[in-house]
Amino acid sequence: MRARILAVLAYIGAAVTLLIAACVPFVLMGVFSNAVAHAGLHLDPSYSGGTIVRTVAHSGYQMDVYAPVRPRALQQVAAFVQIAFRPVAALPRHVSEEIDLDGDGQPDVRVSFTVPADPHARPSGEVVALNAKYQSFTMPGNYSFSEMMVQSGGAVVVRVPLR
Amino acid sequence: MASRVLTRPPALRSPAFRSIGRSVLLTLPMALWALLMFTPSFRQPGRNLHIGALLVILFMTALFFLMMRTGKTYRWRRYFFVALGLLFPVGFIASLVAVRGTMSIPIERMVSGDTPFCYMVIPMLILPAAVTRTIIFPGSILPTASNPHSIAIMIGLWLALTLVVGKAWCSYVCFFGGIEEGFAALPKRMKIRKLDPRLRLVPWAILLFVVVLSAALFEPVYCMWLCPFKTVTEYPAVHSVTTAIQMGIFITLFAGLVVVLPYLTKKRTQCAFFCPFGAFQSLFNKINLFEIRFDREKCVDCTLCQTSCPTMALSAESIREGKTLLNCMKCGACVDSCKKSAAVWHLKGTKVALKPERARLLFLYGAWAMATMFGGSILANSISTIIGFLPLR
């Protein structure tokens, strides 16, 4: 009797599996994808740059300053602050600006770069630290997640390493 | 009696396992499914895509028909799987080159979340996501114009497919496995016969290693350092000694585990002895209803099944117990090779070998439906890409 009940349950299970298979492209995939999308997950800030804390509007373009990103315990990425100038199309050929990164009213770095005509090319320029909290660098140079000056997602993204 | 059975020539299963009419009837639902899956492709503009979709519908339906007609599974599944393994990189690389002009992924693409999500990273995401709600992958959570293969879409797809196929993912869905299955199919005989069975444990060790290390370092360690398939998909742009070393590791592992060793051993060595995702996926064998079992009354311990298993998912002990090991991916190689029909498809909860063909059909409808939906769409896109390269008017 037990074996018979088990067998019936097994066939019901197999039928349910087939039903699930039929639902995958029409319902299930979307349901699961939505569940993942709304699970409150976020990308690691070493990839995304973190959250925008301040936006400065200029004529035709804006500059977003992000919150400092600090590595977790054993993470290899060094601490940095991201700045994004967008949209690239509205940027002047040459940008040079003193920027307050920590919101204390004093400029922390001077960022200068030339916007290349090729949308895939990397801008050349430099970041000059105006105080000891930040590090200066010149591009082209060594690109890393904590030190870069690139065109990405319709913006010129600059990551300034923290000391 | 036993010795008489052993000395008899093996009773080969008839190639006409079913009549044509019955095989057509059993294939009909799968043909309709294939049509349903590719109807959207015909609504899109582009003659090449239409040709690709049509070829895939015919290909997948024909293979399913042959499975029904001959009663063999592995033999026909392999055509699909090798085609998937060979064509996926072609389509993928072509789309990368079209979009960015290179297979390498530059840092700006990672920062803008344009890295297509690969399911291999899933086991490494779980711990950081559970503890800190952070995803340690440079993709985008929601699909974007530049990255339709977003994290949410691909994890959703993986969850849905895993519910249906479980560990059979590795033999019906994984577009990487087909590459080594292709190389394993090339030689007539094994060049290396003796393989240490303890090698089966290596994927579990690598799984543990990459999961723990990824959680500690907050980066997908396997993708950064160990994935052989970076060689035929995309890899971080080589701009330093570190990235050059990474690239060297990818190429060495690909050449060794995906090309040379499968050729020498006729096994899927990357899957059997290395892949942490495969080990992770094995856990779903515990909840999936379908499995391979051995009818001990018919089994003559000839070990043909063990020799034919591409992932060493059988041991003498497991066969004596009438079971496969946890890493069985339900490819059907052992069932196809068994000359005594002792290796059978089985639905958990039912009596072993009572209705093996019914169990096989129930499994195959689900697995082939998923193969057609997922692998089929990859095949159609790749075929359409290849046609685009041909000098046709």
Side-chain angles (χ1 to χ4, degrees), chain A residues 10 29 39 42-44 122 152, chain B residues 108 112 133 135 139 157 348:
Chain A
M29 219 178 90
H42 58 267
L43 288 183
D44 186 71
R122 287 175 169 168
S152 173
Chain B
E108 41 269 65
S112 60
R133 293 189 167 269
I135 292 183
L157 183 66
K348 285 176 189 170

